[in-house]
């Protein structure tokens, strides 16, 4: 069966950039896909930045894309709250970027932790004890917990660093309350949000990412094609040993050309 | 059987004081025990202060005792490391008080997180993300985890606040490594340290505290007599419903007089 791929769901951290550095060939690959008229959405588990911040960063790295082509877990968290809990006040444990994105999504913020019905947790790189304690008090007073994602570690320029799982673990361990919802990949919520941007059936779409657990699993669950890149968290050995098998394994995003030219010869499945 | 109680193992938070306030009658009760020539050790799960800090606080509250009569989990952690891992460099996630106590105990500190063989975790009321990340990196590079205690919450003057369990949860959730040792009550280590100060057989000693899970359990495990006070975390209803039954339940530490005078009549078991 030949399936022409028209939509691309592309991960960011470890696929397009790593820390503050662009991954070799990533900008050219994206520019080429756009030139061919392909539809693209960048789908990231980052929940501590806003789409505006992400768009600015990608612009600095040389990627010319629209803000609407970016979906972060902060974006999808805001939409989820707006769709299902519009009148519920929210407290945030996380960076300003999440607060900005929730504000852009017109989400009701609680005035005090004790008044919150939801606590939203994301990475908080300027976390203080008092902020942790406010979040603790929100949950002790009945707030349910949404996590933008549950990643344990992220690659910072000075090395792997503690991610959202640390912030979640602090609150869950001290309150005894579990997380109600994790928004991030490989959730159905993220897959639906991506397909909604692309406006294509899943089988015409390809997920490209560096994580078997989040990117490839999301693609498989949603019926999309999948390509793992080795520029991030997974080595070839780990990929081959995994029970999750992508349709393709590429050294990097630049290898997306292999399935496009000439005459999309690589698309046979 | 009549057993004369000669040694008193007395909890601090919720038994002698609450936040920065002395519990009514506590200072007089301690003074009276000392006047009767009883041996006393204050045994607290606090690990984020040093004995010197605790001694100063008790002095300000009107308790005239020796620093050697105080045992904190910071004290016992330092002794444990000195006794069993003298040459292992240590990294600390916690308040300055723990660092002071480890220094007083002549413990080897690691120069960088990556060089630590042990991470010691206690409450950290001025926690920052970077400190959390340093602790995360220590464990990622192989450090094992000691927690001074695993309390979920402590009573601060402005309300219940997130305790060591939050700091532990952050590191455990993000690293996937479990805590190797929890020093705090009801551990055998704390009971032994207390009996070592008192120099008495356990059956001649009485543990007085506000926690069934830490104070009363420690006493029962070690063969000491036990008295629960209702000035802290447990109500009479909770005490009566518990599977852990102390020998006595008292409104407060002041009621210790009931088993002493006249002629120690309350001591029949």
């Amino acid at each position: 069966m030949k399936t022409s791929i028209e939509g691309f769901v592309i991960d960011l951290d470890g696929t397009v950039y790593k820390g503050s550095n662009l991954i070799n060939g990533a900008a050219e690959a994206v520019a080429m896909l756009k030139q061919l008229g392909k539809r693209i959405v960048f789908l990231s588990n980052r929940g501590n930045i806003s789409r505006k911040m992400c768009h600015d960063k990608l612009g600095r790295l040389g990627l010319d894309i629209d803000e609407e082509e970016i979906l972060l877990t902060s974006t999808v968290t805001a939409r989820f709250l707006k769709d299902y809990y519009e009148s519920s006040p929210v407290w945030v444990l996380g960076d300003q970027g999440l607060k900005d994105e929730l504000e852009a999504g017109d989400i009701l913020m609680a005035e005090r932790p004790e008044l919150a019905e939801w606590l939203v947790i994301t990475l908080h790189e300027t976390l203080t004890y008092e902020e942790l304690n406010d979040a603790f008090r929100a949950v002790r007073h009945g707030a349910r917990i949404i996590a933008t994602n549950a990643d344990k570690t992220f690659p910072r320029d000075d090395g792997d660093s503690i991610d959202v799982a640390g912030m979640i673990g602090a609150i869950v361990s001290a309150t005894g309350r579990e997380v109600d919802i994790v928004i991030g990949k490989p959730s159905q919520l993220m897959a639906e949000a991506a397909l909604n941007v692309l406006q294509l059936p899943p089988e015409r779409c390809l997920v490209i990412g560096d994580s078997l657990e989040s990117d490839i699993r999301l693609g498989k669950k949603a019926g999309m094609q999948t390509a793992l890149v080795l520029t991030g968290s997974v080595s070839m050995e780990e990929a081959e040993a995994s029970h999750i098998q992508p349709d393709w394994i590429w050294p990097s995003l630049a290898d997306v050309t292999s399935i496009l030219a000439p005459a999309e010869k690589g698309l046979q499945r």
Side-chain angles (χ1 to χ4, degrees), chain A residues 5 205-221 224-230 234-251 259 268-269:
Chain A
I5 297 172
C205 298
L206 170 67
V207 177
I208 309 175
D210 74 317
S211 163
L212 290 163
E213 287 295 334
S214 60
D215 300 310
I216 306 306
R217 264 181 70 182
L218 173 134
K220 290 195 166 284
K221 280 167 63 179
M224 299 186 244
Q225 300 187 56
T226 54
L228 180 77
V229 291
L230 301 176
V234 176
S235 69
M236 180 60 96
E237 292 68 41
E238 288 165 333
E240 284 175 342
S242 172
H243 64 284
I244 305 171
Q245 285 298 318
D247 298 306
W248 291 278
I249 300 178
W250 297 331
I259 59 161
Q268 261 156 358
R269 300 190 71 191

Side-chain angles (χ1 to χ4, degrees), chain A residues 56-230:
Chain A
D56 291 351
K57 174 174 181 172
L58 290 171
R60 283 196 304 276
L61 293 174
L63 277 84
D64 177 26
I65 58 164
D66 297 333
E67 209 169 296
E68 286 68 36
E69 290 174 309
I70 301 169
L71 283 177
L72 310 168
T73 49
S74 52
T75 323
V76 178
T77 299
R79 288 187 191 172
F80 171 80
L81 288 167
K82 192 73 187 169
D83 287 350
Y84 297 101
Y85 297 94
E86 193 173 5
S87 60
S88 297
V90 165
W91 193 261
V92 171
L93 175 65
D95 286 334
Q96 186 60 38
L98 171 60
K99 293 176 186 166
D100 291 348
E101 196 72 354
L102 293 175
E103 200 173 299
D106 204 22
I107 301 303
L108 185 65
M109 305 303 283
E111 279 176 40
R112 292 186 291 114
E114 292 80 1
L115 302 175
E117 292 178 25
W118 285 103
L119 171 70
V120 185
I121 304 182
T122 193
L123 173 61
H124 194 0
E125 289 191 81
T126 54
L127 177 74
T128 65
Y129 176 82
E130 293 306 327
E131 290 173 306
L132 200 61
N133 199 33
D134 281 343
F136 168 76
R137 287 178 174 182
V139 175
R140 289 259 291 183
H141 283 81
R144 296 167 67 190
I145 305 171
I146 300 183
T148 58
N149 58 312
D151 294 54
K152 293 181 175 178
T153 173
F154 73 100
R156 209 168 67 169
D157 285 344
D158 68 342
D160 283 352
S161 296
I162 187 167
D163 204 343
V164 190
M167 277 96 264
I168 296 171
I171 300 301
V172 165
S173 300
T175 61
R177 285 287 304 265
E178 292 299 322
V179 174
D180 284 274
I181 300 160
V182 177
I183 297 290
K185 299 180 277 186
S187 75
Q188 185 67 16
L189 274 170
M190 289 293 277
E192 279 169 9
L195 289 168
N196 195 43
V197 170
L198 296 176
Q199 292 288 317
L200 288 167
E203 62 274 14
R204 306 274 303 273
C205 298
L206 170 67
V207 177
I208 309 175
D210 74 317
S211 163
L212 290 163
E213 287 295 334
S214 60
D215 300 310
I216 306 306
R217 264 181 70 182
L218 173 134
K220 290 195 166 284
K221 280 167 63 179
M224 299 186 244
Q225 300 187 56
T226 54
L228 180 77
V229 291
L230 301 176

Side-chain angles (χ1 to χ4, degrees), chain A residues 25-81:
Chain A
E28 294 80 356
V30 169
M32 189 210 58
L33 291 173
K34 297 208 94 175
Q35 234 171 6
L36 290 170
K38 303 294 184 186
R39 297 183 201 170
I40 297 180
V41 60
F42 294 93
L43 191 69
S44 167
N45 264 359
R46 262 317 83 229
N48 64 324
I49 56 174
S50 66
R51 286 212 282 186
K52 187 176 179 321
M53 289 162 72
C54 186
H55 182 252
D56 291 351
K57 174 174 181 172
L58 290 171
R60 283 196 304 276
L61 293 174
L63 277 84
D64 177 26
I65 58 164
D66 297 333
E67 209 169 296
E68 286 68 36
E69 290 174 309
I70 301 169
L71 283 177
L72 310 168
T73 49
S74 52
T75 323
V76 178
T77 299
R79 288 187 191 172
F80 171 80
L81 288 167

